């Protein structure tokens, strides 16, 4: 089987490009050091080699499916959940006294990225359980924490996020699942939820659905949405588990992520579904945003991880497949060259590499900001970290998924006809990654969030912070003659972005709201291209700074510089075309 991950890449990103070591100076992370990072990454890879990667294909061939009221999945799902629980991978981010390892988000996300690259369907069950449990530890009462979290972190109970309803996908305002208060501390829940990942399967003893619903009499709109903990089996007075009237009505059959169940759940068909309010009434969506924001960065990172596995498979194939001769060689008796020698194959591979590593770098930066904010590192800057993270979150989600799909498509292209067959894994990566631009907020919704909310937030402060950070990197690069021309180009793109933004915001100020956001996705594309250019300049600076120490080979550092040149020549120029579309004339559809 081809390699699916490069640990050196993760080491470079964490230790040299995004300086995870800075975090270890703070009490929350003081138990960690550089060697711990190496050990954790290696342990994640060793576990994935045995428990995840060997099941990548078979979980696709034997997909999750509904049978007689329950969802059946490959039996490895249960082993993965329990094994991850025993190793502490599920709750790794949380506090020691809540059963966690106080692992920084940066490291946790890298670990789960290794799992994703190995088997993205299997990792889904783990990521969801960890995210759901952390919502409970953040907002739940001690009783809720005690009842649910240890079992979830142990991988015995599966966590889910249950938001979507048939009529309420992108627009959660329209959910109708209802919650009726009782005098006994719980609510009676009633409603349907669809597309619930991990909502049922054979590998867990119980399911804990973090569910959005409306308390009877709640105000309309998002201000009336609350968050509930709804187990499939609830503990009774004797602490025995009894059925909680959560029916599994079906499992959606999908083009990809077929090993990952996607269920239709019915709450309270027999009026006996109990749910427990998490935190305060009507704050549900705000709480859920904690999980959704983490998940958005996580999905961006996952897409890059899946694209990385696809790239490594394509790269290996390109070295092994002989085909054709180089231009200029007219000797029909000359041996064919491996396709890696063809310029166009190198173009495809480099395009994949710059997309994947640029995305992983941006995700690492987002995680670093999140760590600094949560651990209250540098309190004076806490608000700025938060604002910067706010504006980067829709970008990392969208660039990495949309461009990740393109990267995997190019990987498949490298294999020619074989890429399209079931004999090679590229088709599966291509099918698996496609959903990532849809769930956790579609590209259209993320783009509206970026332009319509984040750019305007706090009178444009988040946007100004982003521009200032990019300028800072350009200033550092000015000192290196090899990087200075790229710094110059980045500054020019920042100026262009600022002008385009000002022009678009003018529509909002004039009350032309529809016109303002009509091309939000084109704006997202432009912004993503520039932000990733920033990341490449940042990576190149790190490579120049660390190459003398030699943690990695000279070729490794040289390739970073090659990627920088490639990105600025072949990818970044598309931002100018986006700017033209955004500023010249009216959109054709408003
Ligand atoms: C495999 C899978 C797993 C999932 N897992 C979960 C899960 O675990 N929990 C959960 O709660 N949900 C889950 N979902 C649901 C997922 O989040 C939704 O499918 C997604 O948010 C889109 O909603 P929708 O499908 O109703 O599409 P719609 O909201 O109907 O959108 C259709 C199209 O219209 C566009 N659109 C919609 N509204 C607007 C607007 N205002 N402006 C511009 N364009 C707009 C969208 O961008 C999209 O292109 C999952 C879905 C799938 C397929």
């Amino acid at each position: 089987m081809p390699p699916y991950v490069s640990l050196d890449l993760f080491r470079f990103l964490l230790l040299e490009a995004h300086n995870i070591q800075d975090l270890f100076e703070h009490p929350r992370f003081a138990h960690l050091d550089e060697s711990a990072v190496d050990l954790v990454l290696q342990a994640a890879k060793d576990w994935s080699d045995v428990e995840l990667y060997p099941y990548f294909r078979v979980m696709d061939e034997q997909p999750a499916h509904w049978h007689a009221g329950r969802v059946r999945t490959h039996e490895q799902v249960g082993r993965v959940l329990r094994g991850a629980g025993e190793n502490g991978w599920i709750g790794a981010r949380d506090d020691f006294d809540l059963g966690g390892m106080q692992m920084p988000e940066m490291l946790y996300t890298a670990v789960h990225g290794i799992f994703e690259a190995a088997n993205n369907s299997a990792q889904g069950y783990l990521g969801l359980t960890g995210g759901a449990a952390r919502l409970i530890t953040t907002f739940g009462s001690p009783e809720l924490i005690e009842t649910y979290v240890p079992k979830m972190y142990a991988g015995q109970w599966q966590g889910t996020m249950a938001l979507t309803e048939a009529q309420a996908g992108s627009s959660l305002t329209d959910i109708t699942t209802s919650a009726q208060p009782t005098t006994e501390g719980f609510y009676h829940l009633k409603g349907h939820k669809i597309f619930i990942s991990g909502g049922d399967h054979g590998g867990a003893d119980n399911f804990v659905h973090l569910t959005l619903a409306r308390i009877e009499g709640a105000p309309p709109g998002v201000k009336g949405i609350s968050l509930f903990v709804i187990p499939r089996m609830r503990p009774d007075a004797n602490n025995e588990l009894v059925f909680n009237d959560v029916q599994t009505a079906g499992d959606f059959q999908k083009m990809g992520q077929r090993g990952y169940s996607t269920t239709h759940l019915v709450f309270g068909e027999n009026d006996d579904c109990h749910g427990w309010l998490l935190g305060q009434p009507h704050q549900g969506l705000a709480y859920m945003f904690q999980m959704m924001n983490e998940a958005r960065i996580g999905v961006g990172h996952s897409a890059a991880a899946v694209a990385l596995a696809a790239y490594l498979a394509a790269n290996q194939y390109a070295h092994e497949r002989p085909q054709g001769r180089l231009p200029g060689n007219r000797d029909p008796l000359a041996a064919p060259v491996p396709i890696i020698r063809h310029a166009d194959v190198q173009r495809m591979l480099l395009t994949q590499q710059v997309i994947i590593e640029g995305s992983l770098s941006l995700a690492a930066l987002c995680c670093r900001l999140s760590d600094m904010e949560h651990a209250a590192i540098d309190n004076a800057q806490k608000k700025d970290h938060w604002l910067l993270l706010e504006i980067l979150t829709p970008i990392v989600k969208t660039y990495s998924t949309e461009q990740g799909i393109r990267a995997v498509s190019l990987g498949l292209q490298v294999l020619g006809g074989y890429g399209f067959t079931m004999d090679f894994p590229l088709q599966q990566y291509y099918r698996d990654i496609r959903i990532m631009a849809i769930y956790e907020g579609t590209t259209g919704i993320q783009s509206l969030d970026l332009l319509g909310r984040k750019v305007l937030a706090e009178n444009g402060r988040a946007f100004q912070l982003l521009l200032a950070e990019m300028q800072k990197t350009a200033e550092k690069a000015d000192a290196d003659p090899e990087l200075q021309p790229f710094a110059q180009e980045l500054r020019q793109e920042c100026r262009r972005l600022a002008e385009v933004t000002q022009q678009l915001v003018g529509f909002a100020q004039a009350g032309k709201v529809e016109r303002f956001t009509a091309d939000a996705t084109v704006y997202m594309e432009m912004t993503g291209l520039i932000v990733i250019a920033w990341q490449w300049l940042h990576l190149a600076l790190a490579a120049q700074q660390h190459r003398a120490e030699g943690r990695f080979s000279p070729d490794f550092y040289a390739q970073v510089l090659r990627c920088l040149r490639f990105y600025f020549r072949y990818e970044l120029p598309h931002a100018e075309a986006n700017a033209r579309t955004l500023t010249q004339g009216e959109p054709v559809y408003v």
Side-chain angles (χ1 to χ4, degrees):
M1 294 218 284
Y4 60 89
V5 77
S6 152
L7 286 191
D8 274 356
L9 173 59
F10 282 99
R11 289 192 182 106
F12 171 64
L13 290 170
L14 292 181
L15 295 168
E16 296 192 350
H18 293 285
N19 299 335
I20 192 172
Q21 302 89 321
D22 296 349
L23 301 177
F24 307 155
E25 289 165 17
H26 297 272
R28 181 172 178 79
F29 305 121
H31 57 292
L32 292 166
D33 59 17
E34 272 186 45
S35 63
V37 172
D38 274 333
L39 282 173
V40 167
L41 293 177
Q42 188 63 55
K45 163 87 168 46
D46 291 345
W47 188 69
S48 302
D49 284 348
V50 177
E51 299 294 350
L52 298 178
Y53 195 40
Y55 300 91
F56 171 60
R57 184 174 173 155
V58 70
M59 281 176 62
D60 179 63
E61 290 168 345
Q62 298 169 23
H65 62 280
W66 187 88
H67 177 76
R70 294 301 302 267
V71 173
R72 311 286 167 93
T73 41
H74 192 281
E75 61 187 14
Q76 184 62 12
V77 171
R79 286 198 290 270
V80 165
L81 258 176
R82 285 207 167 57
E86 281 159 20
N87 289 332
W89 299 126
I90 300 176
R93 286 176 298 189
D94 223 327
D95 301 357
F96 289 133
D97 56 8
L98 292 166
M101 299 188 202
Q102 293 191 187
M103 189 183 277
E105 196 74 39
M106 285 179 86
L107 186 54
Y108 174 89
T109 303
V111 161
H112 282 257
I114 293 169
F115 299 163
E116 288 274 355
N119 184 335
N120 66 86
S121 278
Q123 190 282 338
Y125 297 104
L126 309 179
L128 260 180
T129 303
R134 204 147 92 118
L135 261 187
I136 301 177
T137 61
T138 310
F139 302 110
S141 63
E143 292 78 17
L144 281 180
I145 294 173
E146 199 185 320
T147 307
Y148 293 100
V149 173
K151 295 268 198 304
M152 294 168 83
Y153 282 165
Q156 293 165 11
W157 291 5
Q158 169 73 51
T160 78
M161 53 196 290
L163 292 62
T164 305
E165 299 175 7
Q167 78 295 346
S170 298
S171 176
L172 293 171
T173 318
D174 299 322
I175 64 161
T176 57
T177 295
S178 65
Q180 200 177 18
T182 68
T183 52
E184 294 158 85
F186 62 83
Y187 289 72
H188 274 300
L189 271 292
K190 211 169 174 59
H192 284 241
K193 294 284 177 184
I194 63 161
F195 291 151
I196 306 310
S197 297
D200 192 10
H201 56 79
D205 302 335
N206 199 2
F207 295 80
V208 185
H209 306 294
L210 279 285
T211 305
L212 291 181
R214 289 183 182 287
I215 298 173
E216 281 194 357
V222 290
K223 292 194 178 121
I225 297 177
S226 302
L227 184 56
F228 293 87
V229 177
I230 309 180
R232 182 175 194 281
M233 307 288 290
R234 64 177 187 249
D236 68 7
N238 304 319
N239 231 8
E240 299 285 321
L241 288 180
V242 296
F243 183 58
N244 190 35
D245 196 12
V246 179
Q247 314 276 353
T248 308
D251 186 70
F252 291 86
Q253 295 302 291
K254 316 186 296 285
M255 67 180 269
Q257 293 203 325
R258 287 156 56 83
Y260 191 16
S261 59
T262 307
T263 59
H264 175 182
L265 299 175
V266 182
F267 298 114
E269 197 165 56
N270 301 311
D271 299 324
D272 189 31
C273 178
H274 297 191
W276 285 265
L277 183 69
L278 196 67
Q280 300 299 313
H282 315 320
Q283 298 297 319
L285 208 55
Y287 298 154
M288 192 48 110
F289 259 101
Q290 174 191 297
M291 188 166 173
M292 290 196 317
N293 279 335
E294 279 169 7
R296 284 171 180 184
I297 298 165
V299 170
H301 196 268
S302 303
V306 170
L308 174 63
Y311 161 72
L312 291 171
N315 190 46
Q316 186 187 55
Y317 183 89
H319 282 83
E320 292 170 355
R321 165 75 171 166
Q323 191 73 194
R325 287 152 198 90
L326 296 183
N329 184 346
R330 304 236 166 88
D331 178 2
L333 297 177
V337 295
I339 59 170
I340 186 76
R341 302 278 309 279
H342 297 305
D344 193 54
V345 172
Q346 290 183 31
R347 177 192 62 79
M348 292 192 278
L349 289 168
L350 270 167
T351 308
Q352 292 168 67
Q353 197 177 359
V354 295
I355 290 170
I356 294 159
E357 297 180 13
S359 301
L360 289 174
S361 178
L362 183 59
L365 169 65
C366 289
C367 292
R368 183 184 161 93
L369 290 167
S370 166
D371 283 325
M372 298 185 69
E373 198 218 332
H374 285 139
I377 294 171
D378 197 349
N379 261 326
Q381 301 220 323
K382 201 168 150 82
K383 177 87 184 283
D384 285 357
H385 291 146
W386 176 75
L387 275 174
L388 198 53
L389 183 59
E390 281 281 290
I391 196 163
L392 288 176
T393 298
I395 300 171
V396 71
K397 160 58 165 90
T398 306
Y399 178 87
S400 312
T401 55
E402 289 287 353
Q403 294 300 315
I405 293 167
R406 178 173 158 235
V408 178
S409 176
L410 283 169
L412 193 151
Q413 190 78 7
V414 166
L415 272 73
Y418 297 98
F420 195 66
T421 68
M422 304 308 265
D423 299 346
F424 287 85
L426 271 296
Q427 45 75 31
Q428 189 182 339
Y429 292 126
Y430 192 50
R431 289 184 287 107
D432 283 355
I433 198 173
R434 186 60 188 88
I435 182 60
M436 296 185 186
I438 297 173
Y439 59 27
E440 289 311 331
T442 61
T443 293
I445 295 300
Q446 300 295 336
S447 304
L448 287 175
D449 182 45
L450 173 66
L451 182 60
R453 289 183 55 227
K454 304 293 171 62
V455 162
L456 298 178
E458 310 239 346
N459 283 326
R461 174 137 180 86
F463 182 68
Q464 292 306 329
L465 278 171
L466 175 60
L467 287 181
E469 287 298 315
M470 294 201 273
Q471 299 282 2
K472 266 192 233 164
T473 305
E475 272 162 34
K476 277 191 212 150
D478 278 339
D480 181 333
E482 210 179 335
L483 302 185
Q484 199 279 334
F486 300 100
Q488 190 60 24
E489 213 172 314
L490 179 62
R491 262 194 294 269
Q492 186 186 321
E493 291 303 330
C494 286
R495 273 196 296 275
R496 202 196 311 274
L497 181 62
E499 284 163 17
V500 168
T501 306
Q502 200 173 15
Q503 192 168 330
L504 293 179
V505 169
F507 292 117
Q509 286 164 341
K512 298 180 181 171
V513 183
E514 270 197 53
R515 172 65 183 85
F516 171 48
T517 55
D519 274 327
T521 300
V522 182
Y523 180 81
M524 168 65 90
E525 223 171 282
M526 178 183 180
T527 314
L529 283 164
I530 296 168
V531 164
I532 297 299
W534 166 43
Q535 288 309 295
W536 272 110
L537 193 56
H538 179 80
L539 294 177
L541 270 165
Q544 295 286 70
Q545 185 196 337
H546 290 281
R547 66 195 317 163
E549 291 163 20
R551 185 185 266 122
F552 307 108
S553 70
D555 281 355
F556 182 97
Y557 294 110
Q559 185 68 4
V560 176
L561 272 287
R562 191 167 172 239
C563 284
L564 170 79
R565 290 197 300 277
F566 182 86
Y567 187 88
F568 275 70
R569 175 113 180 248
Y570 290 84
E571 293 292 304
L572 184 58
H574 297 296
E576 190 181 348
N578 288 144
R580 268 210 305 279
T581 302
L582 286 164
T583 54
Q584 293 178 7
E586 289 298 299
V588 291
Y589 30 68
V590 171

